Amino acid sequence: MKKKIPMRKCVGCGEMKPKKELMRILRTESGEFEVDAGGKKNGRGAYICRSVGCFRMAVKSRGLERSFKQEIPADVYERLEKEMGEIEKEG
């Protein structure tokens, strides 16, 4: 029997992709936002492609704000973009 691959939708481009190919943006219980590279931390998560282009689309279309049902401060976006850039270089 073939193992089912969990699929998630990118909040930037809107494409369905395997969960492992996407990066998880997390809102912790204390209301902080962070990049959850492992995808295992507790909290509300939204998925996004591992490209800065998709991240910018998500910012422009307010995809992350819709996922978390709240406004996200500009400094949070800046920090997440920086973290994503660092992860993109490693991968």
Side-chain angles (χ1 to χ4, degrees):
M1 196 172 128
K2 201 174 162 204
K3 196 169 180 245
K4 191 171 176 278
I5 300 167
M7 302 290 279
R8 295 291 181 268
K9 189 176 187 175
C10 170
V11 294
C13 64
E15 280 183 44
M16 291 295 285
K17 295 191 175 178
K19 189 173 152 184
K20 282 187 171 35
E21 286 178 21
L22 299 171
M23 188 142 36
R24 186 167 182 246
I25 309 287
L26 177 82
R27 183 182 67 208
T28 62
E29 285 164 16
S30 61
E32 292 287 307
F33 290 92
E34 58 186 69
V35 174
D36 179 12
K40 298 273 189 265
K41 294 179 183 170
N42 283 342
R44 173 92 175 118
Y47 291 84
I48 193 160
C49 295
R50 292 175 185 266
S51 78
V52 176
C54 265
F55 179 78
R56 292 199 176 117
M57 272 200 282
V59 173
K60 204 171 160 186
S61 70
R62 299 192 179 283
L64 285 172
E65 295 187 5
R66 273 198 310 276
S67 289
F68 295 117
K69 295 180 176 67
Q70 72 176 76
E71 241 178 69
I72 297 172
D75 62 314
V76 171
Y77 277 130
E78 285 164 24
R79 189 171 47 83
L80 290 174
E81 188 169 8
K82 202 174 134 222
E83 280 181 51
M84 277 189 76
E86 286 163 16
I87 290 168
E88 204 173 27
K89 282 181 208 132
E90 290 168 18

